[in-house]
Amino acid sequence: MDALPKGREVAPISLAIPSALFLILAGILAIETGLLGSAPSGSALDEPPVVTVAPRDFRYRAAGEFFKNGYAVDGPVETVRMSAPLIIMKYQVTAADYARCVAEQACPPAEPEHVPADPGSTPATGVSFDDAQAYAAWLSRRTGTIWMLPTDEQLAFAAGSRFPDDALDVEDDGSNPALRWIADYYRETARKASREPEPQRLGHFGESETGLTDFGGNVWEWTTTCVRRVTLDRTGSITSDTSSCGIYIATGKHRAALSSFIRKPKGGGCAVGAPPDNVGFRLVKNTRWYARLLQALREKGLDV
């Protein structure tokens, strides 16, 4: 197993001084011009149930495709220090909640493979990364709080022991690539055989030790983590790192790389490996002081 030599600290605010100054000035301008605005009168929604995951150090296997000596290897593991609490939805967004966004013409209709009998207690599925982003923007406007898709790393932090480890744990020095090919073949065969395709009621798959419900069931969850292709040298140091931000990681029983517009991953939209049974999402609450400002500026088309 390759391990990065040093851990990382993820802080709630990681802005350079010029960026912070820009935000302060932009904030003053936003207040003066009414850019931030407010939720429409009478339209406020209650915030969804959440869990708050206390800061801690945790082990995280980096997402992406990693290569050493020209052969695929397991991604490296590092110790990550989360220095602030993470507030994340306890449950995945339901079909009924997503339908409210559709009814207000703020979200495109979902395209679930299995239409739920009880939308109020069944996760929304058949939604793309772009759809999930639209829902996050809608919910932020309706609650007055900023919601956003998590990163793969944040999901790992919240899911605890339920988060999958995609390592094959075979020789990674390239001396016998056939061993890795065989291990990968058996893993993908096992994944295909264990499918339970129809989404289940909330709570069916239980909770993690952090209180996160249904993670790792049969609904994979969109993240904002872009697919990476990383080349390592003989010592495990990175020599090249290329990201593809039209393809994102959806995480559940295992990680899957999906194009941002895919709603039905079993229809050929999975970039590699066994496709997810279904794809849905949950959101994290952004409590940073400048969160609303960033949201407003991005909605105006500014790349900040």
Side-chain angles (χ1 to χ4, degrees):
M1 177 185 296
D2 291 304
L4 297 183
K6 296 182 180 179
R8 289 188 294 106
E9 180 171 342
V10 180
I13 299 176
S14 57
L15 292 174
I17 291 176
S19 297
L21 179 60
F22 165 75
L23 286 174
I24 292 171
L25 294 175
I28 295 172
L29 178 62
I31 293 171
E32 293 295 325
T33 61
L35 173 64
L36 292 180
S38 59
S41 177
S43 68
L45 292 178
D46 292 335
E47 293 189 1
V50 298
V51 295
T52 301
V53 187
R56 72 175 193 277
D57 294 355
F58 71 104
R59 299 283 283 171
Y60 174 72
R61 187 178 298 279
E65 297 178 288
F66 289 80
F67 297 86
K68 183 190 288 186
N69 299 331
Y71 295 97
V73 297
D74 293 333
V77 174
E78 59 184 334
T79 298
V80 178
R81 171 168 294 176
M82 284 290 189
S83 60
L86 178 71
I87 303 174
I88 186 169
M89 289 181 175
K90 181 177 180 67
Y91 304 100
Q92 294 158 339
V93 171
T94 67
D97 287 335
Y98 186 81
R100 293 188 183 97
C101 183
V102 175
E104 295 187 13
Q105 299 183 336
C107 294
E111 298 179 9
E113 183 176 351
H114 305 276
V115 178
D118 182 5
S121 63
T122 308
T125 58
V127 290
S128 69
F129 174 88
D130 298 330
D131 299 339
Q133 292 281 62
Y135 181 89
W138 171 81
L139 185 64
S140 298
R141 291 192 297 270
R142 292 291 305 271
T143 62
T145 303
I146 300 303
W147 297 89
M148 54 200 307
L149 284 173
T151 64
D152 182 76
E153 191 173 87
Q154 287 174 324
L155 270 185
F157 176 61
S161 60
R162 288 200 168 204
F163 195 80
D165 187 348
D166 291 337
L168 286 173
D169 288 328
V170 297
E171 288 293 331
D172 279 349
D173 60 1
S175 60
N176 192 351
L179 292 177
R180 186 173 185 87
W181 184 90
I182 293 171
D184 186 56
Y185 171 80
Y186 281 116
R187 180 178 66 179
E188 294 303 311
T189 301
R191 286 174 176 175
K192 292 175 183 177
S194 65
R195 286 179 175 171
E196 181 185 9
E198 189 166 350
Q200 302 297 309
R201 290 176 62 88
L202 298 182
H204 177 81
F205 296 101
E207 294 184 357
S208 70
E209 66 269 24
T210 62
L212 201 69
T213 301
D214 295 325
F215 181 83
N218 64 3
V219 177
W220 274 243
E221 302 181 19
W222 284 110
T223 77
T224 58
T225 298
C226 304
V227 168
R228 301 166 62 204
R229 185 181 178 91
V230 182
T231 302
L232 307 173
D233 63 20
R234 293 181 180 276
T235 67
S237 299
I238 295 175
T239 60
S240 68
D241 187 345
T242 304
S243 295
S244 176
C245 282
I247 302 175
Y248 295 90
I249 299 294
T251 308
K253 292 179 182 177
H254 61 269
R255 287 167 168 151
L258 301 175
S259 297
S260 64
F261 55 84
I262 291 297
R263 296 189 174 109
K264 294 181 178 180
K266 285 186 286 187
C270 191
V272 64
D277 295 316
N278 306 279
V279 63
F281 64 101
R282 77 179 83 214
L283 303 173
V284 296
K285 184 177 180 180
N286 190 340
T287 58
R288 294 176 296 182
W289 64 268
Y290 52 85
R292 287 190 64 205
L293 174 59
L294 283 181
Q295 179 84 354
L297 292 174
R298 286 167 181 161
E299 288 184 357
K300 293 295 184 181
L302 296 178
D303 184 15
V304 294

